Amino acid sequence: MKDWRQDFQAVTGCTLSKESLRAAAAVKDISAGRVEMKKAIVVGSGAGGAAAAKKLQEKFQVTVLETGREFKPFSSSWPALEKLKKTGLFFDEREIQLLFPSMKVHKTEDGMVMVSGTGLGGTTTLSAGNALRMDKGLKELGIDLDDEFEELYREIPVTNNHQNKWRDTTKELFEICKEMDLNPQPLPKLGDYERCTNCGRCVLGCRYGVKWDSRQFLKAAQDSGTELVIGCKVSKVVTEKGSVKGVQAQKGMNSVFYPADIVILAAGGFSTPVILQNSGIECESRLFVDPILCVAAEYKGSLQNKELSMPFAVQREHYILSPYFDYLSFFFNKSWRYPASDTLALMIKLADSNAGSVDNKKINKTLTGIDKERLQEGVGICKEILNRYDIRKDNIFLGTINAGHPGGMLPLTRQEAETFHNPKLPKNLYVADATLFPKSLGNPPILTIMAMAKRVGKIIMEQI
């Protein structure tokens, strides 16, 4: 008597792979009630959490726990905002949360502004949508993520063909950088930029669905059975005899325990270390944040606020330079007194020193002497670029130093290249976000975080 595999081959003409046979057999067993799927808790819905959930859904009953609520793009009009700015009511960057609840802002003791996303999709919804592969530091540890990056390129539209959306100002800046032998390159973007409307609000949430963010991975996972719980803040991981039993979380007014066979922390570089420390697992004081400093000037009709964010970049050894309209500086820095449409800025994104920490009370982070030297070097190059654009150096002003790419407090080592598992962690607890990076990238990290999270998911599934 023929079995179902022979029937399948006779009808389709295809032979099932060993992996497909194992998966089909597992589904058959589950359907017959012979196997109960193991439970996986993923903490966080950003780049790492969404990528891990999508991968784990193949073999686990997955639940994603997200602190924030549904994400809504910033919707206020420019005329209304500029009028509000003139009232002088904007004086502290933390006030941005009153206008845009999905953006969470903290300040360090020396005034550096720390930004993170707190809605569904994490910081991916507030990113510039860049799709850079930045795994050189991981390769140096013996970690090869080629398969994971290829998988991502198949799943997500990535393009650097958006020069037709650039304003004349950006095109001229690009040519100046070429003349200065700075080798500028268009930045690859996550999404379908043929439909870009040049609204200029990439970092405030794309209202038109042009920019890809991790909510699309979440939807795919949900369509396959993943449960999503929003407004749920995980406080700690619960362990017993060296094994994780689940997580303790605050859901509204209630303290809730979520049982799990596997827990993946992907709450971001500011939150994952706090959860670990609350669970009795010490992290390293190696926090990096990728600080941003913008160098700006008045240039009438530049319309940089009406253009996609970070259209191209100049890669230097310790930082990148890119055209960028800095909303935090525009609203809260008194030097940014010109209308948005007449403000032209270049961003310096620094690969800062691994020196800092975060706990339940505050973020401890200061720029080291070498960080400040490198920032000043970047400021000098930006001033030269603007000077060649017929802007006098004495008309140039600086923005507020802000940062939004935290990580590094549980860095991978060569010994963990195969396992992605720090020996401090219980055997069924993993981390899948920028906390794993051995050092600052000084570059957009989203694509690389997702590749790492996919690898973590594969490692876990191979163990089951």
Side-chain angles (χ1 to χ4, degrees):
M1 181 178 176
K2 293 190 300 181
D3 65 13
W4 64 273
R5 289 167 291 188
Q6 291 170 308
D7 289 335
F8 179 89
Q9 186 172 353
V11 172
T12 65
C14 299
T15 301
L16 286 166
S17 66
K18 291 181 181 178
E19 290 78 8
S20 298
L21 287 171
R22 284 196 294 268
V27 171
K28 187 178 179 182
D29 286 342
I30 290 165
S31 300
R34 291 192 291 268
V35 175
E36 182 179 346
M37 291 185 76
K38 290 185 178 293
K39 295 179 181 179
I41 295 289
V42 177
V43 182
S45 67
K54 185 173 182 290
K55 175 59 67 176
L56 290 172
Q57 184 57 50
E58 297 173 18
K59 288 189 179 180
F60 285 84
Q61 180 184 331
V62 179
T63 300
V64 176
L65 305 180
E66 167 56 45
T67 301
R69 304 284 180 176
E70 292 285 348
F71 176 78
K72 294 181 180 179
F74 191 69
S75 58
S76 299
S77 68
W78 266 115
L81 288 173
E82 297 219 39
K83 285 182 181 178
L84 191 57
K85 177 185 175 181
K86 290 178 181 178
T87 65
L89 293 174
F90 289 157
F91 58 89
D92 188 305
E93 290 82 0
R94 287 168 288 198
E95 292 176 299
I96 196 71
Q97 294 172 235
L98 301 175
L99 297 173
F100 191 29
S102 293
M103 183 180 287
K104 190 173 184 179
V105 171
H106 293 283
K107 275 189 172 182
T108 63
E109 289 183 350
D110 60 354
M112 199 182 335
V113 177
M114 301 295 180
V115 182
S116 59
T118 187
L120 193 61
T123 308
T124 66
T125 57
L126 308 181
S127 75
N130 295 309
L132 285 171
R133 176 173 177 167
M134 300 300 301
D135 58 333
K136 180 182 177 183
L138 298 174
K139 281 183 176 294
E140 291 171 355
L141 299 178
I143 298 171
D144 183 348
L145 296 175
D146 286 353
D147 290 345
E148 286 74 17
F149 280 109
E150 286 303 317
E151 191 174 323
L152 287 167
Y153 291 135
R154 291 193 299 269
E155 294 173 320
I156 303 172
V158 175
T159 180
N160 59 7
N161 186 23
H162 44 71
Q163 291 92 318
N164 61 329
K165 304 293 181 180
W166 294 4
R167 302 283 182 189
D168 288 343
T169 305
T170 297
K171 293 176 183 176
E172 292 183 43
L173 289 173
F174 186 79
E175 292 303 317
I176 289 171
C177 290
K178 286 172 64 177
E179 292 168 6
M180 294 174 64
D181 292 326
L182 295 174
N183 191 29
Q185 296 293 325
L187 282 171
K189 298 289 183 179
L190 298 159
D192 178 13
Y193 280 76
E194 286 298 316
R195 299 187 294 108
C196 179
T197 65
N198 262 355
C199 72
R201 299 192 181 201
C202 303
V203 296
L204 299 177
C206 181
R207 292 181 291 173
Y208 305 102
V210 171
K211 184 185 75 175
W212 186 95
D213 63 59
S214 67
R215 290 177 297 169
Q216 296 187 41
F217 268 5
L218 288 172
K219 184 180 184 306
Q222 284 181 277
D223 289 345
S224 298
T226 290
E227 179 188 7
L228 175 63
V229 183
I230 60 175
C232 180
K233 185 175 182 179
V234 172
S235 57
K236 66 177 181 178
V237 175
V238 178
T239 60
E240 182 181 308
K241 296 180 180 178
S243 179
V244 168
K245 297 301 178 183
V247 299
Q248 198 70 36
Q250 194 71 25
K251 174 71 173 163
M253 299 295 292
N254 300 316
S255 180
V256 183
F257 174 72
Y258 291 89
D261 299 294
I262 290 283
V263 172
I264 301 92
L265 296 181
F270 287 140
S271 296
T272 289
V274 173
I275 296 171
L276 289 171
Q277 288 160 180
N278 289 346
S279 309
I281 301 167
E282 286 303 313
C283 295
E284 298 182 34
S285 296
R286 293 176 54 83
L287 178 70
F288 63 78
V289 294
D290 284 9
I292 288 172
L293 175 62
C294 280
V295 182
E298 179 189 22
Y299 196 88
K300 291 189 180 297
S302 56
L303 293 175
Q304 192 179 49
N305 66 313
K306 293 288 186 180
E307 184 181 54
L308 60 92
S309 296
M310 298 181 69
F312 70 83
V314 167
Q315 293 283 351
R316 307 293 284 180
E317 185 177 359
H318 301 291
Y319 53 84
I320 65 170
L321 311 176
S322 181
Y324 180 76
F325 186 82
D326 186 355
Y327 285 90
L328 283 174
S329 291
F330 177 75
F331 286 117
F332 298 101
N333 189 313
K334 292 182 180 179
S335 298
W336 291 54
R337 60 187 183 276
Y338 304 107
S341 59
D342 297 334
T343 302
L344 179 63
L346 292 169
M347 164 214 284
I348 307 160
K349 183 187 291 290
L350 177 70
D352 55 313
S353 303
N354 287 63
S357 64
V358 60
D359 55 36
N360 272 316
K361 297 179 180 179
K362 63 181 180 179
I363 298 169
N364 302 291
K365 180 67 183 179
T366 58
L367 295 179
T368 65
I370 191 65
D371 291 337
K372 293 176 181 178
E373 287 180 21
R374 289 166 178 168
L375 272 181
Q376 286 306 309
E377 178 186 310
V379 168
I381 296 175
C382 289
K383 285 183 176 181
E384 179 61 26
I385 293 169
L386 294 175
N387 185 239
R388 293 191 182 205
Y389 200 61
D390 293 330
I391 294 173
R392 289 171 48 189
K393 289 187 178 180
D394 56 0
N395 289 336
I396 293 172
F397 48 91
L398 301 181
T400 299
I401 297 178
N402 60 87
H405 294 164
M409 288 188 63
L410 199 71
L412 288 168
T413 66
R414 186 173 292 277
Q415 288 69 37
E416 297 143 25
E418 295 295 327
T419 65
F420 270 63
H421 191 268
N422 191 294
K424 295 179 182 179
L425 303 177
K427 60 183 179 180
N428 54 340
L429 174 62
Y430 285 81
V431 172
D433 62 24
T435 306
L436 296 177
F437 282 132
K439 59 184 178 181
S440 170
L441 304 181
N443 268 275
I446 287 177
L447 198 70
T448 311
I449 291 173
M450 290 193 291
M452 288 198 305
K454 279 183 172 289
R455 173 61 60 84
V456 169
K458 288 179 182 178
I459 290 169
I460 293 171
M461 290 196 299
E462 287 170 359
Q463 295 176 353
I464 303 302

